[in-house]
Amino acid sequence: MDQLTIGLLGFGLFIVLTMLRMPIAYGMAVVGLGGMMLVYPLDAAFKFIPTGLFSYTSNFTLSALPLFILMGTLAFYADLGKDAYDAAKAWFGRVPGGLGVATVYSSAIFGACSGSSLSAVAVFSKIAVPEMQRANYNPKLALGVVASAGCLDVLIPPSILMVFYGIITETSVGQLLIAGIMPGILTAVLMATGVTLYARMYPEAAPISSDLDTSWAAKLATLKRLWAAAILFTVVLGAIYTGIATPDEAAAVGVVGSLFLVWVRGNLTWERVRFSFIDSAKVTAMIFMLLGAGYIFATFLSTTGVVSTMTGWIKGMDLSFWALMVGIVVLYLFLGCFLDAISMMVLTMPILAPLITDAGMSLVWFGVVVVVMMAIGTITPPLGLNCFVMKGALGDSVKLSDIFAGSLPFVFLMLITVFLMTVFPEIVTWLPDLMKDMR
């Protein structure tokens, strides 16, 4: 049996194991290791895999992952989410769909301190949804806007997915983080505009609350409380943008800054610090397991020629750039229904990254496009992790079907972001190009 046949059979076996609900990391590790033992002598396989695995996962840039995760957890205890929502509510509360608009912009602000959409959804499910329920918002709108606005957290830096993408594609993590700023703002504006237009068309779905204080005194008072988020964002991203610090160094500064803010707010307890570190360690362990298993599986597919064969086959189709992009969008919409974001990256990047490079496009640009598509996957059924987190946070008071239904319009808004980034790639590349010019 030749190596290509072994690789194709292994890939098919992985698909079967995934359909049987085996965890993705286990499936990739089992198939990859078993396949390598068929391709190489047994002793060579057992020498090569541990050495390569250690070399891959000991990359110092990976230290940014647990640090950004810990920074986001501590930002929650510093009440940065509540401060952002209070400020956005005071400034936008009187516009049509004001509470929904406030949810979008406060999620964007919180995203500047947290790199996980799941964290944002958990926070704003408890803060924003009760407010909208009291104001008699349409349940689907109230639930959908919170689940979807959480997607902004993986776009606006610091973003865990951006760091992960940069590592597996060997792309500058600093440039990726900066590249997400403009698309994140664009997506937030599109979401807020969508909520406002819907509220104008159906005023009964998003009534303007009568007890909101939107006076200038309230606006300025809430704005003052945003100093913490503003300083944290400026220090972390400013250090990366100017080249003063690498992403991992900036992440360490962010952790110290978040911990300091928790102390200043009087929320620092040993139990909260302990939970923050344990929770961050668990998430980091899951990511590293996927990263390591993905390395084994990708090495197996590359060694057996599956990656080069599939890449060559797609190139042989002589697709135009737009046809390629439509195919990529459809692929991620499909995979997002069944796989989490990191698993999708591990499986698709070995094939898609070379295709994008051959098409003459920047991997930094493509990274932002991929992250937007990953974000869409967090609100589409049947997996839709954001929706399940919201259901878990709110319990039996809401229906899971309402969360998915309310999120659907925002899928189209995020696809508009992808379209605009494809037509005008400068939306993504402008800030990274300025960043390179400054150095």
Side-chain angles (χ1 to χ4, degrees):
M1 190 183 302
D2 62 20
Q3 290 190 358
L4 180 59
T5 302
I6 293 173
L8 292 173
L9 289 174
F11 186 77
L13 176 60
F14 169 73
I15 298 297
V16 171
L17 293 175
T18 302
M19 294 176 65
L20 293 174
R21 310 303 295 171
M22 174 180 278
I24 299 292
Y26 296 164
M28 290 191 294
V30 168
V31 173
L33 186 57
M36 293 295 283
M37 288 191 293
L38 291 176
V39 173
Y40 291 113
L42 198 61
D43 58 337
F46 273 102
K47 288 179 182 178
F48 170 75
I49 291 296
T51 304
L53 192 59
F54 174 78
S55 175
Y56 189 64
T57 55
S58 61
N59 185 335
F60 191 71
T61 307
L62 283 169
S63 61
L65 281 172
L67 291 171
F68 277 136
I69 294 168
L70 180 58
M71 174 182 162
T73 306
L74 292 171
F76 165 72
Y77 287 119
D79 291 331
L80 299 188
K82 185 178 184 303
D83 290 346
Y85 185 71
D86 289 342
K89 192 169 59 172
W91 282 86
F92 299 101
R94 292 295 179 183
V95 303
L99 293 179
V101 173
T103 301
V104 171
Y105 287 132
S106 56
S107 292
I109 295 170
F110 186 72
C113 309
S114 167
S116 168
S117 64
L118 301 182
S119 299
V121 171
V123 169
F124 288 100
S125 292
K126 296 295 183 67
I127 297 174
V129 173
E131 288 264 4
M132 287 187 276
Q133 287 175 334
R134 283 193 294 271
N136 294 317
Y137 267 54
N138 179 294
K140 292 180 181 177
L141 173 62
L143 298 171
V145 72
V146 173
S148 305
C151 297
L152 297 171
D153 278 42
V154 298
L155 264 177
I156 297 174
S159 166
I160 296 169
L161 290 184
M162 294 285 193
V163 175
F164 191 85
Y165 172 90
I167 291 166
I168 63 176
T169 61
E170 298 182 356
T171 307
S172 169
V173 172
Q175 289 187 29
L176 282 164
L177 291 172
I178 298 300
I181 295 175
M182 294 303 293
I185 294 172
L186 172 63
T187 306
V189 171
L190 286 173
M191 286 183 174
T193 303
V195 172
T196 299
L197 291 176
Y198 183 81
R200 285 188 182 276
M201 294 170 60
Y202 305 100
E204 70 282 357
I208 297 177
S209 180
S210 58
D211 59 352
L212 284 178
D213 185 0
T214 56
S215 64
W216 277 105
K219 290 177 180 178
L220 294 175
T222 56
L223 204 58
K224 289 178 182 177
R225 290 187 62 81
L226 287 182
W227 67 268
I231 291 176
L232 195 61
F233 178 79
T234 302
V235 169
V236 173
L237 269 298
I240 296 173
Y241 188 80
T242 58
I244 295 174
T246 61
D248 37 282
E249 292 167 345
V253 172
V255 169
V256 175
S258 296
L259 189 61
F260 175 74
L261 292 176
V262 176
W263 175 71
V264 168
R265 296 290 173 84
N267 297 332
L268 186 62
T269 64
W270 169 246
E271 190 61 30
R272 286 177 174 175
V273 172
R274 176 176 169 274
F275 174 81
S276 297
F277 276 86
I278 291 176
D279 189 55
S280 301
K282 287 179 179 178
V283 175
T284 302
M286 178 199 71
I287 293 175
F288 269 70
M289 181 176 288
L290 281 165
L291 188 65
Y295 167 79
I296 296 172
F297 190 61
T299 302
F300 165 63
L301 294 181
S302 178
T303 301
T304 55
V306 173
V307 172
S308 58
T309 300
M310 293 184 71
T311 304
W313 176 67
I314 296 173
K315 287 181 182 178
M317 296 173 67
D318 198 24
L319 296 173
S320 67
F321 172 70
W322 279 100
L324 176 63
M325 286 306 300
V326 169
I328 289 172
V329 167
V330 172
L331 172 67
Y332 279 126
L333 286 174
F334 173 74
L335 292 178
C337 295
F338 308 101
L339 298 176
D340 63 273
I342 292 177
S343 299
M344 281 192 279
M345 274 195 197
V346 170
L347 290 175
T348 58
M349 281 308 108
I351 296 171
L352 296 183
L355 293 174
I356 292 299
T357 303
D358 288 344
M361 297 302 291
S362 161
L363 283 179
V364 172
W365 168 83
F366 186 57
V368 179
V369 171
V370 167
V371 168
V372 175
M373 294 308 304
M374 303 291 171
I376 291 174
T378 64
I379 56 174
T380 51
L383 187 60
L385 292 178
N386 281 13
C387 300
F388 280 98
V389 167
M390 173 174 270
K391 172 64 176 174
L394 298 176
D396 295 334
S397 62
V398 300
K399 296 179 180 178
L400 185 60
S401 58
D402 284 347
I403 303 175
F404 279 122
S407 301
L408 184 59
F410 295 94
V411 170
F412 294 103
L413 293 175
M414 284 191 277
L415 288 175
I416 292 175
T417 298
V418 173
F419 175 75
L420 291 175
M421 289 191 299
T422 306
V423 176
F424 307 106
E426 295 81 9
I427 295 172
V428 178
T429 59
W430 177 57
L431 283 179
D433 287 344
L434 284 179
M435 176 181 169
K436 286 190 289 187
D437 292 341
M438 289 181 64
R439 298 184 176 183

